Amino acid sequence: MRRHEFQPGRLLAGLVLVAAGVLYLLDATGEADLPWFLVIPMAMGGLCLAALVGTVTYAVRRDRRDRISESSDR
């Protein structure tokens, strides 16, 4: 498998959704008493944070790529 870029936004989104799934699993088994309105905002907030991280990562990489192409053009 070829190496690919590290994408922190996708990692964060995956971790948040796994955490939400674990919380629902704990609630289903009776280990935790979790109100339904707690997990939904946590998942949505985590996905919004992951989108922000992904956008910042894209902007930083685009800026670096532009600087490298500028220096090679000279």
Side-chain angles (χ1 to χ4, degrees), residues 6-48:
F6 174 64
Q7 297 178 341
R10 289 186 181 187
L11 175 66
L12 185 60
L15 290 174
V16 166
L17 292 177
V18 165
V22 167
L23 287 174
Y24 267 125
L25 182 65
L26 287 174
D27 188 38
T29 58
E31 297 294 322
D33 186 27
L34 192 65
W36 66 270
F37 56 84
L38 180 70
V39 177
I40 301 296
M42 183 192 79
M44 294 306 294
L47 290 176
C48 289

